[in-house]
């Protein structure tokens, strides 16, 4: 165990520059893959929520496939698999693309559940926009309000004008 | 001819996955129970374990267990090394999952169980765990799918699983796109049924609610 630490501290100065570069590359790769995953994932999520059933199906098949394949396989297909087709990517590019399009499938699901959560909230809430006039008269506060419902559904009871005298505590 | 070798690999992949899943569940459950005790050193120990194993990549863990321990004199075969490595990493993940599941239950549940005369162990066995199971099931299912995919890193320590055979076939035949696509299909064919099984288990445990 002591030997272990001895080697560790003897070699560390010599290894340090390389380790630093490696850590930098890792962070760079993470950043690239993350950006790609966010953009592509958002596109996938929107496709999955779109009205066109074709787009929806394509997006869900893509997500299902990507979620069932190991990252390593995706990377190998992108880096080695397309070489016979005449395309060669450098390792960092291939790594960013592979990690990015793989993570996009997960990100898409996160976005989708987020968007759906908001949409379902919108379903249950009704919104309106309007103006009001309040006058603190000598008798007490008087309020006149007029509002128009924005997303009224069939069968809702609407009230566009409201007059209020006094204040509710 | 490619398929036969890959299928042999698939068998080993499943073996590694089941082994690691068993270890991860055992460790996760044990650590989660320790984490919910009132003894501070135990909770500290669990926290250290979780933080260390959750923040080190699976590949690094496997290399330490396979190559690192071999230098010190503990020589493991690739498959057991992969099972232990992935199991330890998964244990950290599942500790958090199980802890969340147990803590989601009201503490009154345990107190009530003890009040009607159950021993603390009986309370955990008959009251806490059956309810926590329902909460824990979806993340546990997701974990087992990602674990099956993560077995692919075991190819780096020469465990003869799918990815290992795929690389071997590629160096022999140079049919790169075909072989890796086939590999992808094979993983897909293994992961989809697990997903369905988990979904069915979830539906059943919800009906039972």
């Amino acid at each position: 165990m002591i030997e272990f630490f001895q080697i560790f501290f003897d070699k560390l100065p010599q290894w340090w520059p390389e380790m630093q570069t490696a850590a930098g590359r890792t962070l760079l790769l993470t950043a690239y893959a993350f950006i790609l995953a966010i953009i592509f994932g958002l596109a996938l999520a929107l496709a999955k929520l779109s009205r066109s059933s074709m787009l929806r199906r394509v997006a869900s098949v893509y997500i299902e496939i990507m979620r069932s394949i190991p990252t390593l396989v995706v990377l190998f297909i992108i880096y080695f698999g397309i070489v016979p087709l005449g395309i060669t990517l450098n390792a960092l590019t291939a790594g960013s693309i592979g990690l990015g399009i793989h993570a996009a499938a997960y990100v898409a699901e996160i976005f989708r559940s987020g968007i759906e959560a908001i949409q379902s909230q919108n379903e249950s809430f009704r919104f309106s926009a309007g103006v009001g006039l309040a006058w603190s008269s000598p008798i007490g506060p008087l309020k006149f309000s007029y509002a128009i419902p924005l997303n009224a559904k069939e069968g809702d009871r609407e009230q566009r004008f409201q007059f209020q005298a006094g204040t509710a505590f | 001819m490619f398929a036969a070798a890959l299928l042999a690999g698939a068998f080993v992949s499943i073996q590694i996955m089941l082994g690691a899943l068993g270890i991860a569940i055992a460790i996760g459950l044990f650590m989660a129970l320790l984490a919910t005790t009132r003894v501070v050193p135990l909770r500290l120990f669990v926290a250290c374990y979780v933080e260390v194993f959750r923040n080190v990549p699976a590949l690094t863990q496997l290399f330490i267990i396979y190559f690192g321990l071999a230098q010190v004199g503990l020589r493991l075969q690739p498959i057991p090394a992969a099972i232990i490595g992935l199991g330890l990493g998964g244990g950290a993940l599942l500790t958090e999952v199980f802890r969340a599941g147990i803590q989601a239950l009201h503490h009154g549940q345990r107190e009530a169980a003890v009040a009607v005369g159950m021993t603390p162990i009986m309370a955990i066995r008959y009251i806490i765990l059956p309810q926590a199971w329902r909460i824990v099931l979806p993340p546990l299912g997701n974990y087992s799918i990602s674990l099956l995919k993560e077995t692919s890193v075991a190819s780096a320590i020469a465990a003869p699983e799918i990815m290992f055979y795929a690389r071997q076939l590629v160096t022999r035949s140079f049919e790169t796109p075909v072989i890796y696509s086939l590999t992808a299909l094979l993983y897909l064919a293994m992961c989809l049924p697990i997903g369905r099984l988990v979904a069915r288990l979830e539906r059943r445990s919800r009906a039972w609610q």
Side-chain angles (χ1 to χ4, degrees):
Chain A
M1 205 59 187
I2 290 169
E3 202 185 351
F4 174 86
F5 285 111
Q6 211 167 3
I7 296 172
F8 191 80
F9 287 114
D10 282 351
K11 294 283 173 92
L12 195 61
Q14 185 191 330
W15 289 341
W16 184 241
E18 252 175 77
M19 286 169 74
Q20 228 174 354
T21 336
R25 288 280 156 71
T26 302
L27 290 178
L28 199 65
L29 203 55
T30 310
Y32 285 156
F34 183 72
I35 293 168
L36 183 61
I38 294 286
I39 295 171
F40 192 36
L42 187 59
L44 277 173
L46 292 178
K48 209 170 168 182
L49 292 170
S50 81
R51 293 217 184 87
S52 136
S53 67
M54 235 267 289
L55 267 181
R56 278 206 305 268
R57 199 162 308 147
V58 169
S60 12
V61 167
Y62 178 87
I63 291 171
E64 276 289 286
I65 289 179
M66 274 300 171
R67 290 212 303 180
S68 315
I69 298 177
T71 325
L72 202 58
V73 176
V74 177
L75 289 178
F76 274 34
I77 289 177
I78 286 183
Y79 190 58
F80 300 116
I82 61 173
V83 170
L85 309 177
I87 311 165
T88 36
L89 298 166
N90 77 36
L92 195 65
T93 316
S96 314
I97 294 177
L99 291 175
I101 63 172
H102 189 249
Y106 293 87
V107 171
E109 286 292 279
I110 295 170
F111 277 142
R112 188 183 57 85
S113 61
I115 295 172
E116 270 180 353
I118 292 173
Q119 274 183 343
S120 65
Q121 255 176 31
N122 284 352
E123 293 278 301
S124 52
F125 281 108
R126 301 285 190 270
F127 296 95
S128 62
V131 288
L133 180 70
W135 176 33
S136 306
S137 74
I139 325 159
L142 297 175
K143 262 185 203 151
F144 306 89
S145 313
Y146 183 75
I148 300 167
L150 293 180
N151 60 342
K153 295 271 151 56
E154 201 76 9
D156 283 357
R157 269 178 49 209
E158 289 176 17
Q159 185 187 18
R160 296 193 173 209
F161 179 75
Q162 195 182 41
F163 169 70
Q164 198 182 347
T167 314
F169 287 99
Chain B
M1 131 194 128
F2 295 145
L6 289 180
L7 277 178
F11 183 69
V12 175
S13 283
I14 290 173
Q15 216 178 317
I16 295 175
M17 176 219 168
L18 290 179
L21 189 64
I23 292 181
I25 290 178
I27 292 181
L29 201 56
F30 181 66
M31 290 286 182
L33 290 176
L34 288 191
T36 47
T37 58
R38 273 192 225 118
V39 192
V40 174
L42 284 182
R43 289 205 325 233
L44 222 61
F45 167 70
V46 174
C48 287
Y49 166 75
V50 168
E51 287 306 323
V52 168
F53 280 89
R54 217 172 37 169
N55 293 319
V56 176
L59 194 60
T60 314
Q61 284 178 32
L62 288 189
F63 274 27
I64 290 175
I65 287 173
Y66 187 64
F67 298 114
L69 288 186
Q71 290 268 285
V72 195
L74 183 59
R75 223 170 270 281
L76 287 168
Q77 292 296 309
I79 296 178
I83 290 177
I84 294 171
L86 292 173
L88 283 173
L93 225 123
L94 289 188
T95 301
E96 287 297 282
V97 169
F98 288 147
R99 193 182 53 77
I102 292 172
Q103 283 178 346
L105 300 176
H106 194 266
H107 58 88
Q109 296 261 352
R110 195 187 57 80
E111 283 161 13
V114 173
V116 295
M118 288 188 172
T119 63
I121 303 229
M122 278 168 81
I124 289 170
R125 165 72 186 79
Y126 294 105
I127 305 296
I128 304 293
L129 290 187
Q131 297 184 78
W133 168 245
R134 227 168 38 215
I135 301 167
V136 154
L137 199 56
L140 189 62
N142 285 339
Y143 166 70
S144 35
I145 293 172
S146 62
L147 179 64
L148 180 56
K149 291 183 294 166
E150 220 167 288
T151 57
S152 62
V153 301
S155 65
I157 58 167
E161 45 74 77
I162 301 177
M163 209 51 200
F164 178 79
Y165 280 113
R167 284 200 213 175
Q168 234 179 19
L169 289 174
V170 166
T171 48
R172 227 182 292 148
S173 68
F174 298 107
E175 301 277 9
T176 323
V178 180
I179 290 169
Y180 285 136
S181 308
L182 208 63
T183 309
L185 269 180
L186 196 54
Y187 276 110
L188 194 66
M190 292 196 300
C191 286
L192 287 181
I194 299 180
R196 296 280 172 276
L197 184 74
V198 171
R200 182 188 287 179
L201 273 177
E202 271 174 44
R203 237 175 295 134
R204 245 186 44 193
S205 71
R206 226 177 285 141
W208 177 79
Q209 190 170 6

